[in-house]
Amino acid sequence: MPNKTMQEMQDEVDRYIKQFKEGYFSPLAMMARLTEELGELAREINHYYGEKPKKKTEKENTVEEELGDLLFVIICLANSLGIDLTASFDRVMHKFNTRDKDRWTRIEEVLPDDGE
């Protein structure tokens, strides 16, 4: 299956939501849903990488599944507000590549010299 662009994902979610009379939830309701999904992701991260193992009675979710849920809600929120996530992503990457260009130690700066 070929990779989807962000625009394709936004269009797919929009088609899915628009088949229902209820449509998109309000931004505030989606913010609550986003918070809920983020909590579920945090719980999974804690189970797999933290000190709190799952109880035997808990459903087996994955970090991948929770990231997918989070992405779906982010796309819903963006669509409902008319936000192009590709343009939003491009702006944030420009910000990181300009404002923060010297903030972190680049890998090539820490590699040993070739003896020259």
Side-chain angles (χ1 to χ4, degrees):
M1 175 193 244
N3 291 335
K4 295 177 184 177
T5 67
M6 183 60 72
Q7 187 59 58
E8 289 169 334
M9 288 189 280
Q10 282 193 255
D11 290 345
E12 184 176 346
V13 168
D14 198 52
R15 285 189 304 275
Y16 173 78
I17 294 295
K18 286 185 173 174
Q19 68 181 328
F20 304 107
K21 288 181 182 179
E22 293 81 4
Y24 288 103
F25 295 155
S26 71
L28 187 57
M30 280 193 272
M31 192 64 220
R33 182 72 200 278
L34 191 61
T35 303
E36 175 187 338
E37 294 298 345
L38 185 59
E40 290 175 12
L41 174 62
R43 185 175 178 83
E44 289 303 305
I45 295 286
N46 193 26
H47 287 315
Y48 288 105
Y49 304 103
E51 290 72 36
K52 185 180 176 191
K54 280 188 178 267
K55 296 176 188 172
K56 292 183 186 342
T57 58
E58 286 184 284
K59 180 182 174 227
E60 193 64 34
N61 290 349
T62 64
V63 171
E64 180 181 3
E65 181 180 341
E66 297 305 338
L67 281 170
D69 289 347
L70 197 57
L71 180 59
F72 178 81
V73 177
I74 289 170
I75 292 172
C76 284
L77 181 59
N79 284 355
S80 75
L81 298 173
I83 294 171
D84 176 342
L85 284 172
T86 300
S88 178
F89 178 79
D90 289 344
R91 280 192 298 277
V92 78
M93 287 309 298
H94 175 74
K95 177 177 67 176
F96 289 133
N97 284 316
T98 55
R99 181 193 72 189
D100 293 343
K101 68 181 176 58
D102 297 321
R103 185 174 186 180
W104 310 107
T105 306
R106 295 195 182 270
I107 291 173
E108 61 267 16
E109 293 175 5
V110 297
L111 293 177
D113 200 13
D114 290 340
E116 295 176 359

